[in-house]
Amino acid sequence: MSDLIMIRPYCRESVKTKRLNSILDISLEGYTYDIISTIEEFRELKNNKILFAISLGESGINLELYAIIKAIRLNRNCFEGCVGGIIIDGNSELFTKSVGRELAFSANLAGCTFPGKPLVEGTRSLDNYEIVAKRLDVGPLEAYMHSGKALVKHIMEFNPPKKKKPKILVLHASHFQKSNTLALWNLVKKHLNNCEITEISIRNGTVMDCIGCPYKTCRYFGESASCIYGGVIVEQVYPAIIECDALVMICPNYNDAISANLAAFINRLTALLKYSKFYKKYLFSLIVSGYSGSDIVAQQLISGLNMNKTFILPSRFAMMETANSPGSILKLDGIEVRAKEFAENILNHIYEK
């Protein structure tokens, strides 16, 4: 049996695959692997290590990739028990991140878990490797290769952490009496036995957004688990993040975006990363949309907290519902059953039986 499965959708512009070939030669050195390149070859891949390797042309579109994504979305169990990572090589300065998080979202719905920072992306110029290259004292291409090799190692060595009494941190910026999303959380919470749950509200007026301090300033405060702004983020949220085993984001979708205070929280986590990485902490979310667009919010959480801030993205990390009028979430057919199933999914990931 091979060490991993590489899903590398066929690219019709073979001249644009040369750099990705070089990255993969370095990244996969020492491992055995099978390759899936076409939709005809795609199949259920339960309990495997998966590496998605994507070549994107200038348009950011790989037609074979979207055929495979279609198959993934139609088979919600095809990656059950899998652990995955993504390498995307682009031929422009755009699209690598958006394609990566769309793919991660679809695979996650089908059962794939992604460790923290599961996306390695190369834009055409490789300017996105300027900082990494300086830190490693190498050129951008060498930094890209180093990142690819580190990702594969991370996938292969991933060991999901579990605890006897896991600590769950719940963050929200909602009104208790009116919020459908908090009402949904209450349905889920009552099934989370043997967990220590902390809920923190970061409603209006309590959170300042990141202003992009100079690196040395951010590092100075971050190394003591602090931030130049202070406030509820430093006094309550930072200590709770350090202590928790899982983060649950309560995300109502009003305007096809994470709400302002929750977005500010994600931005402010940059300072805490100087003190502590989050590779052993899980990310979950409850997302309730008034109309549509829960997938957009879910992908923002994936890119912000999993791909950037290093939280584990466990399989089926988000429960997504549609409800508009206050309290209407409780009237949805089957909502109690789905809430219980989502709670069981959380426990399956974090609770050591």
Side-chain angles (χ1 to χ4, degrees):
M1 182 177 177
S2 298
D3 295 325
L4 57 81
I5 307 293
M6 179 166 65
I7 299 178
R8 186 179 180 183
Y10 173 72
C11 178
R12 290 169 171 79
E13 302 172 86
S14 59
V15 69
K16 296 177 181 176
T17 65
K18 292 181 180 179
R19 190 170 69 178
L20 182 58
N21 290 339
S22 299
I23 302 300
L24 293 174
D25 286 344
I26 296 294
S27 301
L28 294 168
E29 186 176 3
Y31 298 104
T32 59
Y33 54 91
D34 297 326
I35 302 176
I36 293 174
S37 297
T38 66
I39 184 59
E40 288 77 18
E41 297 168 346
F42 186 76
R43 62 189 187 278
E44 281 196 351
L45 299 167
K46 295 181 179 181
N47 301 310
N48 277 288
K49 306 287 189 179
I50 307 291
L51 177 66
F52 298 92
I54 317 297
S55 291
L56 294 181
E58 189 173 350
S59 67
I61 294 174
N62 180 310
L63 294 176
E64 201 67 29
L65 169 63
Y66 281 100
I68 291 174
I69 287 178
K70 177 181 178 181
I72 293 170
R73 291 178 179 177
L74 292 175
N75 184 347
R76 291 294 183 88
N77 298 299
C78 62
F79 290 129
E80 195 70 47
C82 290
V83 176
I86 304 169
I87 298 177
I88 297 186
D89 191 63
N91 195 37
S92 79
E93 303 307 295
L94 305 176
F95 310 120
T96 52
K97 183 82 74 179
S98 60
V99 171
R101 73 182 193 179
E102 181 182 14
L103 174 57
F105 172 73
S106 299
N108 182 260
L109 282 177
C112 190
T113 291
F114 290 92
K117 291 191 81 71
L119 174 64
V120 170
E121 51 177 330
T123 62
R124 182 174 184 173
S125 67
L126 294 184
D127 284 349
N128 58 314
Y129 281 96
E130 179 181 352
I131 301 300
V132 177
K134 286 181 180 178
R135 190 173 70 241
L136 297 174
D137 194 25
V138 297
L141 182 59
E142 289 80 3
Y144 186 11
M145 290 179 174
H146 176 274
S147 298
K149 190 173 184 66
L151 172 62
V152 174
K153 185 174 186 289
H154 192 30
I155 297 168
M156 298 305 299
E157 296 180 354
F158 179 72
N159 184 24
K162 296 192 176 188
K163 297 291 181 67
K164 287 289 188 182
K165 192 172 181 64
K167 297 178 180 179
I168 299 175
L169 171 62
V170 181
L171 288 185
H172 71 88
S174 299
H175 192 287
F176 278 101
Q177 295 179 338
K178 298 179 180 179
S179 172
N180 278 314
T181 322
L182 280 176
L184 179 58
W185 162 243
N186 286 329
L187 294 181
V188 173
K189 178 172 63 174
K190 66 184 181 181
H191 300 291
L192 293 173
N193 301 316
N194 301 311
C195 296
E196 182 180 322
I197 299 174
T198 299
E199 299 179 9
I200 298 178
S201 171
I202 50 175
R203 287 192 66 200
N204 296 343
T206 61
V207 180
M208 297 287 287
D209 204 343
C210 176
I211 58 169
C213 288
Y215 176 77
K216 290 183 179 180
T217 302
C218 188
R219 184 178 65 182
Y220 173 79
F221 284 94
E223 286 175 349
S224 57
S226 186
C227 170
I228 195 169
Y229 272 140
V232 67
I233 292 293
V234 171
E235 295 165 6
Q236 296 183 45
V237 177
Y238 278 6
I241 287 286
I242 292 169
E243 287 294 317
C244 79
D245 301 300
L247 170 65
V248 178
M249 297 287 284
I250 306 298
C251 296
N253 175 24
Y254 302 125
N255 298 293
D256 294 332
I258 299 169
S259 63
N261 279 10
L262 294 178
F265 151 72
I266 294 172
N267 293 336
R268 294 276 297 277
L269 273 183
T270 301
L272 192 59
L273 276 174
K274 307 293 188 298
Y275 177 86
S276 174
K277 298 294 189 282
F278 311 128
Y279 285 107
K280 293 185 178 181
K281 302 179 187 296
Y282 291 91
L283 169 66
F284 297 95
S285 183
L286 300 178
I287 304 170
V288 178
S289 295
Y291 300 96
S292 63
S294 291
D295 54 320
I296 295 175
V297 174
Q299 288 181 50
Q300 290 171 348
L301 291 170
I302 289 171
S303 56
L305 289 168
N306 167 243
M307 293 179 171
N308 189 291
K309 297 297 190 290
T310 75
F311 284 84
I312 299 167
L313 190 76
S315 60
R316 304 179 183 93
F317 89 104
M319 181 176 182
M320 295 170 284
E321 298 289 341
T322 301
N324 196 311
S325 302
S328 60
I329 188 75
L330 302 177
K331 301 175 184 177
L332 297 181
D333 289 342
I335 191 64
E336 288 269 8
V337 172
R338 292 195 298 279
K340 182 180 180 181
E341 289 174 347
F342 187 68
E344 290 171 348
N345 183 53
I346 292 175
L347 291 174
N348 285 338
H349 283 289
I350 69 175
Y351 178 61
E352 182 181 347
K353 298 179 181 179

